[in-house]
């Protein structure tokens, strides 16, 4: 997914004589790509054990150095008052309160750019660096007595001298082709708070799985209440293509012995991740795929730590779920997911789940401490702010008002719509341009989400608002494979990567045309990642339908995805068995947009990072060659950075400037009627 920019907080007081009516202010301006850096980012909010403060990383764009600058901030729950604890550290993340609430642990970079565990006493004073790991620390967790922490870090590369410095060939396994050395396994250590003494707990080739961005939250280290063991997730190797082998394990801290945490609970091909222990340590919750089948809907399962089968925490809730945490009663789990075009939180107990009333808030991140819930959430007209609830039945209370990017801006109204496609019901979010006049047929931009296991939601997002600000209707279709309409809808994409989702999208466009909303001669297909894949498919499969297209990080050949991307062999669960076995190559070719790209006619902008590990850039080159060789107007912009999309504020802004500017001449000028 594309990154969003940040902003500086600016308070302006107008004299009474200069005050303007609210309606006039609302029409004063529209959002543009230059507003992206004004959005404030908030990450990893953590409520203190006494419930009085929330620690959170608040980041804003530094346009001079082209980076996000994070501040470790403490927010008073009663008053909302903010106190910056640290403002000059790079890499702030993974905030964790000590059990007594007197110390805050967090990760931040050392002088060499490696993430290390730091401790900050709430009584005062600067933070101190606790670890000196040779590689970056990726996880941190307090021992229940507060005297030590567990952390994870990859093994260091062996030191070489003399001629051995150039003996750097490495064995290739299920890793992506961009890697330039063997990825070392990530292991578990402990470190004493008093003197920094470290103890290694795990070793060997098995590894904590470390996903490359964008990916879900890393699996955490979970201490048992007696501090004798640690629950964690471990894969066969550190290679991204071995992620499906991830299983839960338990470490005996005294001996370092590792045993399966679920010896008889879930023998299946699906990964197990996100383990969380109940407060009394008797039950574990974790995430795995429905029925143990990889690429199926994510379910939250619970199992006794003493052994026995796992069971679904909310079997009647047909929503792809993540686990947030346990409530103090040891029986109730807080879950999160997307249902239709809204995200939500649910409380699950005894196999039953009840949705928590959040009003018009659409939750983004959530954590639970005791019985209280802290979360970030968007509304229809605001980027994420921070909220807290004293209990799951309490009314959410706003703790911040950091976002001002939409103040005084005219925003497009959003509407959730649904339609029939084949035997399915698809849905999506329609954003009207500000000041829309009913009865007017307008240009339409499809903004197709990535994933495909994701969903567009009816809440504030910069991307559709930037497009709607140009006077265009914007449809964000949730095609089959999206995770917002139950497991059958999500799993309908398996073995049918593009044709079925393409029919879903085209049915949504047809609905808008039937409603008299769009000019069918001025329709554009756009998207990033899987959205770029669908764009690449649509322009070839329906060549007469499009006035223009934007394909960002496009998957064009799923054989490349299977062989060269960071997930590589994991993709077989979605696309089908290996293309190199039997006649499976025919199925992979049928599902690859590149083989119909010769039919495309739409002027197309392609964008990609040269160091994209998720969707390797040769796929973008293939699309560029296919279009240019067939005399289709095409421009290809490559960004010389690593990652799945530009992460810095200036390149992120450049992506959206180019996106909008490419579409303008094709959508703002009358086009010949489509046959």
């Amino acid at each position: 997914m594309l990154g969003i920019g940040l902003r500086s907080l600016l308070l302006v007081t107008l004299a009474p004589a200069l005050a303007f009516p609210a309606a006039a202010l609302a029409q004063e301006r529209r959002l543009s790509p230059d507003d992206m850096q004004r959005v404030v980012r908030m990450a990893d909010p953590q409520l203190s054990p006494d419930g009085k403060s929330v620690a959170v990383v608040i980041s804003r764009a530094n346009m001079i150095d082209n980076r996000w600058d994070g501040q470790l901030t403490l927010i008073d729950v009663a008053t909302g008052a903010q106190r910056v604890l640290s403002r000059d550290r790079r890499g702030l993340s993974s905030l964790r309160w000590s059990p007594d609430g007197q110390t805050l642990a967090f990760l931040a970079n050392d002088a060499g750019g490696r993430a290390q565990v730091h401790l900050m006493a709430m009584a005062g004073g600067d933070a101190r660096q606790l670890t000196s790991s040779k590689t970056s620390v990726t996880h941190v967790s307090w021992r229940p007595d507060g005297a030590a922490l567990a952390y994870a870090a990859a093994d260091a590369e062996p030191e070489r001298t003399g001629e051995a410095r150039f003996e750097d060939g490495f064995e290739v396994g299920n890793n992506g082709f961009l890697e330039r050395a063997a990825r070392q396994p990530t292991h578990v250590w402990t470190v004493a708070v008093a003197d920094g003494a470290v103890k290694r707990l795990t070793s060997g080739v098995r590894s904590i799985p470390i996903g490359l961005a964008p990916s879900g939250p890393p699996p955490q280290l979970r201490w048992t209440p007696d501090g004798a063991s640690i629950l964690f997730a471990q894969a066969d190797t550190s290679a991204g293509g071995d992620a499906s082998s991830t299983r839960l394990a338990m470490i005996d801290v005294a001996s370092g012995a590792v045993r399966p945490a679920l010896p008889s609970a879930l023998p299946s091909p699906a990964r197990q991740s996100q383990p969380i222990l109940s407060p009394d340590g008797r039950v574990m919750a974790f995430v795995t795929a429905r029925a143990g089948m990889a690429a199926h809907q994510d379910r939250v399962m619970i199992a006794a730590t003493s052994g026995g089968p796992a069971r679904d925490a909310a079997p009647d809730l047909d929503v792809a779920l993540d686990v947030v945490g346990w409530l103090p009663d040891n029986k109730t789990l807080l879950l999160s997911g997307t249902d239709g075009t809204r995200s939500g939180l649910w409380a699950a107990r005894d196999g039953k789940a009840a949705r928590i009333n959040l009003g018009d808030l659409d939750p983004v991140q959530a954590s639970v401490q005791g019985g209280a819930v802290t979360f970030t959430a968007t509304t229809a007209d605001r980027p994420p702010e921070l909220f807290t609830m004293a209990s799951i039945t309490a009314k959410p209370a706003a703790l911040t008002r950091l976002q001002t990017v939409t103040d005084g801006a005219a925003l497009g109204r959003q509407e959730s719509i649904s339609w029939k496609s084949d035997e399915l019901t698809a849905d999506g979010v329609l954003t009207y341009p500000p000041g829309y006049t009913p009865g007017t047929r307008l240009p339409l931009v499809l903004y197709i989400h990535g994933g495909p296991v994701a969903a567009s939601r009816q809440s504030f997002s910069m991307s559709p608002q930037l497009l709607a600000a140009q006077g265009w209707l914007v449809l964000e279709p949730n095609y089959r494979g999206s995770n917002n309409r139950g497991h059958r809808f999500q799993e309908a994409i398996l073995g049918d990567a593009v044709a079925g989702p393409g029919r879903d999208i085209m049915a949504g466009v047809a609905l808008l045309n039937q409603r008299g909303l769009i000019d069918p001669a001025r329709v554009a297909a756009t998207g990033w990642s899987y959205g770029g894949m669908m764009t690449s498919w649509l322009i070839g499969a329906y060549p007469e339908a499009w006035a223009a297209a934007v394909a960002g990080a496009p998957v064009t050949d799923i054989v490349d995805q299977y062989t060269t991307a960071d997930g590589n062999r994991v993709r077989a669960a979605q696309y089908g068995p290996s293309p190199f076995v039997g006649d499976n190559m025919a199925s992979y070719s049928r599902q690859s947009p590149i083989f119909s790209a010769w039919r495309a006619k739409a002027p197309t902008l392609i964008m990609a990072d040269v160091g994209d590990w998720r969707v390797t850039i040769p796929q973008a080159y293939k699309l560029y060659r296919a279009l240019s060789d067939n005399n289709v107007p095409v421009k290809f912009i490559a960004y010389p950075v690593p990652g799945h999309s530009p992460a810095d504020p200036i390149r992120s802004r450049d992506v959206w400037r180019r996106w909008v500017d490419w579409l303008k001449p094709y959508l703002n000028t009358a086009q010949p009627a489509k046959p």
Side-chain angles (χ1 to χ4, degrees):
M1 300 298 288
L2 289 175
I4 56 175
L6 312 178
R7 66 134 187 97
S8 299
L9 185 62
L10 177 64
L11 299 177
V12 179
T13 302
L14 295 175
L18 296 178
F20 296 97
L25 283 173
Q27 298 300 318
E28 210 169 70
R29 65 180 181 88
R30 294 189 178 187
L31 294 178
S32 77
D34 293 340
D35 288 311
M36 295 181 65
Q37 64 265 26
R38 297 179 57 210
V39 178
V40 178
R41 285 181 169 180
M42 285 175 281
D44 206 14
Q46 298 290 324
L47 185 66
S48 61
D50 63 8
K52 295 182 178 180
S53 302
V54 175
V56 63
V57 178
I58 298 176
S59 301
R60 296 178 173 86
N62 176 340
M63 303 303 286
I64 296 175
D65 299 311
N66 192 26
R67 67 183 185 225
W68 311 119
D69 283 347
Q71 296 181 339
L72 178 55
T73 304
L74 197 66
I75 301 177
D76 184 83
V77 171
T79 66
Q82 299 181 20
R83 178 161 64 98
V84 176
L85 302 178
S86 180
R87 68 177 73 246
D88 296 321
R89 298 181 186 275
R90 303 284 174 261
L92 282 169
S93 67
S94 301
L95 311 185
R96 298 292 181 267
W97 288 98
S98 62
D100 62 5
Q102 299 303 305
T103 306
L104 189 64
F106 58 91
L107 299 183
N109 293 351
D110 61 14
R114 297 177 295 268
Q116 304 289 351
V117 180
H118 292 71
L119 300 180
M120 177 171 285
M122 293 298 97
D126 196 11
R128 65 182 177 97
Q129 182 178 320
L130 181 63
T131 60
S132 298
S133 174
K134 292 182 179 180
T135 62
S136 287
V137 174
T138 54
H139 307 66
V140 60
S141 177
W142 285 93
R143 198 167 73 189
D145 64 2
L149 299 99
Y151 70 94
D155 286 346
E157 288 280 348
E159 293 186 9
R160 297 183 176 91
T161 59
E163 293 181 0
R165 291 176 297 161
F166 306 103
E167 296 172 351
D168 52 6
F170 65 98
E171 183 178 356
V172 172
N174 292 331
N175 51 277
F177 95 111
L178 286 175
E179 295 186 27
R180 296 296 179 260
R183 188 189 295 188
Q184 297 297 313
T186 295
H187 288 296
V188 183
W189 304 67
T190 61
V191 56
V193 171
D195 59 7
V198 299
K199 177 183 178 181
R200 185 184 186 118
L201 297 184
T202 63
S203 58
V205 297
R206 290 185 62 79
S207 173
I208 290 179
I210 303 297
L212 300 174
S215 59
Q220 298 300 318
L221 308 175
R222 306 292 184 180
W223 290 86
T224 55
D226 60 6
S229 302
I230 297 172
L231 176 66
F232 74 119
Q234 192 177 49
D236 287 348
T237 77
S238 58
D242 289 328
S244 294
S245 69
T246 303
R247 298 292 183 268
L248 302 186
M250 194 77 78
I251 310 170
D252 179 78
V253 175
S255 66
V258 178
R259 62 173 176 83
L262 296 165
S264 62
L266 249 172
S268 76
R271 63 181 174 82
Q272 302 161 2
S273 63
Q274 307 309 317
I276 299 182
L277 284 168
S278 60
D280 62 9
R282 295 181 178 180
V283 183
M284 70 182 85
F286 62 97
V287 177
T288 192
R290 177 181 284 271
M293 299 302 295
H296 285 216
Q297 182 191 63
D298 275 351
R299 306 302 300 167
V300 174
M301 308 294 286
I302 54 177
T305 53
S306 59
R311 64 186 188 277
D312 198 317
D316 297 329
L317 180 60
D318 192 9
V319 172
L321 295 169
D322 286 319
V323 58
V324 177
W326 289 91
L327 296 187
D329 63 3
N330 296 294
K331 297 180 179 179
T332 306
L333 268 174
L334 188 65
L335 310 175
S336 64
T338 301
D339 186 14
T341 57
R342 295 299 300 272
S343 292
L345 299 175
W346 287 263
R349 176 173 175 168
D350 299 328
K352 303 295 182 182
R355 190 161 187 164
I356 296 173
N357 183 8
L358 301 179
D360 64 350
L361 301 178
D362 200 67
V364 180
Q365 291 179 300
S367 63
V368 59
Q369 170 64 44
V373 181
T374 305
F375 61 100
T376 58
T378 58
T379 58
D381 60 355
R382 295 185 72 80
E385 299 283 4
L386 185 62
F387 299 83
T388 188
M389 301 168 66
S391 71
I392 59 174
T393 59
K395 183 178 180 180
L399 292 184
T400 62
R401 197 189 185 288
L402 298 171
Q403 311 288 3
T404 62
V405 65
T406 58
D407 291 353
L411 300 179
R413 176 177 63 85
Q414 290 185 318
E415 171 189 340
S416 293
I417 61 174
S418 62
W419 59 89
K420 290 291 184 181
S421 177
D422 298 340
E423 76 287 359
L424 302 171
T425 299
D427 66 19
V429 179
L430 180 64
T431 303
Y432 294 85
Y436 170 72
T437 301
T440 305
R441 286 186 176 267
L442 295 177
L444 172 69
V445 178
L446 294 176
Y447 179 60
I448 308 170
H449 70 71
V453 183
S456 294
R457 310 190 313 275
Q458 186 179 338
S459 194
F460 181 83
S461 174
M462 282 292 287
S463 304
Q465 291 291 345
L466 290 177
L467 296 169
Q470 305 302 315
W472 308 327
L473 283 168
V474 182
L475 176 62
E476 299 172 82
N478 291 320
Y479 48 88
R480 70 187 71 182
S482 303
N483 64 352
N484 68 318
R485 295 195 66 87
H487 74 282
R488 295 187 186 280
F489 188 77
Q490 180 176 330
E491 294 156 16
I493 199 173
L494 302 182
D496 184 15
V498 286
R503 291 194 299 274
D504 300 339
I505 293 170
M506 295 306 294
V509 174
L511 172 66
L512 299 183
N513 191 34
Q514 292 166 9
R515 289 176 54 180
L517 295 174
I518 66 171
D519 177 354
R522 292 185 291 168
V523 180
T526 76
W528 197 275
S529 191
Y530 212 95
M533 180 181 189
M534 290 310 308
T535 297
S536 302
W537 168 261
L538 290 167
I539 61 175
Y542 304 91
E544 304 298 336
W546 317 106
V550 177
V555 177
T556 64
D557 189 340
I558 63 174
V559 175
D560 284 11
Q561 281 296 94
Y562 180 84
T563 54
T564 66
D566 61 332
N568 49 82
R569 281 182 168 165
V570 172
R571 299 290 181 179
Q574 178 185 343
Y575 302 142
S578 167
F580 306 110
V581 175
D583 193 32
N584 295 333
M585 186 64 76
S587 174
Y588 272 59
S589 298
R590 175 176 52 81
Q591 298 179 75
S592 295
I594 197 61
F595 292 102
S596 60
W598 63 272
R599 301 175 62 224
K601 298 179 180 180
T604 301
L605 171 65
I606 304 168
M607 294 181 283
D609 288 359
V610 298
D612 189 344
W613 44 67
R614 185 61 40 81
V615 180
T616 49
I617 198 170
Q619 299 186 69
Y621 274 87
K622 288 181 177 181
L623 182 61
Y624 174 68
R625 298 296 181 212
L627 297 180
S628 60
D629 288 357
N630 284 280
N631 300 312
V632 177
V634 61
K635 179 180 287 188
F636 180 14
I637 303 298
Y639 292 94
V641 293
H644 190 39
S645 63
D648 59 89
I650 292 178
R651 292 187 184 91
S652 296
R653 181 183 64 188
D654 185 71
V655 165
W656 277 100
R657 283 178 173 175
R658 292 180 183 276
W659 199 308
V660 170
D661 289 347
W662 180 261
L663 297 178
K664 282 180 179 178
Y666 303 107
L667 298 186
N668 292 347
T669 303
Q671 302 293 319
K674 297 293 182 183

